[in-house]
């Protein structure tokens, strides 16, 4: 859907990407720029510990064919299948859902709830005027 470049603060978007996901994808890719600029704030070890103990991310976001962006509601701790690929993609999916859906987010899942709180805390650390 897009290619973020934090060094040039540029985001290249595929405007022919699936229209059902394009707006959410913009927020997803924007998060990658934020994450890359503040890598030290996004503790991947802490994030990984939110997941079920037996869960393991892929080695890279393109190392599998889990590209499905449909919302999951299965108690797995992930918003989408794609979020299961890497920590960075998982964080970006949480951020994009947080921005796109706002009050509609189902936070019954305790893993997702912890991930949301983690993202909110760090984003507000970066910019305390940010409005979720």
């Amino acid at each position: 859907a897009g290619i973020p470049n934090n060094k040039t603060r540029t985001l290249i978007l595929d405007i022919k990407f699936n229209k059902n996901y394009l707006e959410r994808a913009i927020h997803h890719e924007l998060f990658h720029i934020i994450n890359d600029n503040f890598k030290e704030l996004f503790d991947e070890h802490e994030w990984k510990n939110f997941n079920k103990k037996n869960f393991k991310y892929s080695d890279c976001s393109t190392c599998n064919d889990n590209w499905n962006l449909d919302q999951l509601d299965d108690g797995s701790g992930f918003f989408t299948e794609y979020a299961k690929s890497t920590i960075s993609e998982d964080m970006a999916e949480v951020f994009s859902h947080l921005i796109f859906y706002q009050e509609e987010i189902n936070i019954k899942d305790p893993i997702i709830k912890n991930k949301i709180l983690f993202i909110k805390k760090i984003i507000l650390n970066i910019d305390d005027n940010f409005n979720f």
Side-chain angles (χ1 to χ4, degrees), residues 73-91:
D73 190 16
D74 60 1
S76 66
F78 298 93
F79 277 115
T80 63
E81 285 295 325
Y82 185 59
K84 296 177 182 180
S85 61
T86 66
I87 292 173
S88 174
E89 298 303 347
D90 191 9
M91 288 182 185

Side-chain angles (χ1 to χ4, degrees), residues 43-131:
D43 184 341
E44 291 190 355
H45 181 72
E46 183 179 351
W47 184 272
K48 192 172 15 175
N49 286 330
F50 293 140
N51 295 320
K52 294 177 181 174
K53 298 298 176 207
N54 61 345
F55 178 78
K56 186 176 186 310
Y57 289 101
S58 299
D59 291 329
C60 68
S61 62
T62 57
C63 292
N64 64 46
D65 55 358
N66 262 345
W67 298 89
N68 194 331
L69 296 176
D70 292 337
Q71 280 188 295
L72 298 174
D73 190 16
D74 60 1
S76 66
F78 298 93
F79 277 115
T80 63
E81 285 295 325
Y82 185 59
K84 296 177 182 180
S85 61
T86 66
I87 292 173
S88 174
E89 298 303 347
D90 191 9
M91 288 182 185
E93 282 294 276
V94 169
F95 181 80
S96 71
H97 279 76
L98 195 56
I99 300 303
F100 188 74
Y101 293 108
Q102 304 238 338
E103 295 88 28
E104 299 171 30
I105 290 182
N106 176 359
I107 55 171
K108 294 176 193 165
D109 183 323
I111 296 171
I112 289 177
K113 184 176 182 177
N114 286 332
K115 290 177 178 181
I116 287 171
L117 293 173
F118 178 92
I119 293 292
K120 280 185 170 183
K121 181 181 99 180
I122 293 171
I123 295 296
L124 290 171
N125 236 357
I126 294 167
D127 180 357
D128 61 357
N129 292 313
F130 196 88
N131 189 12

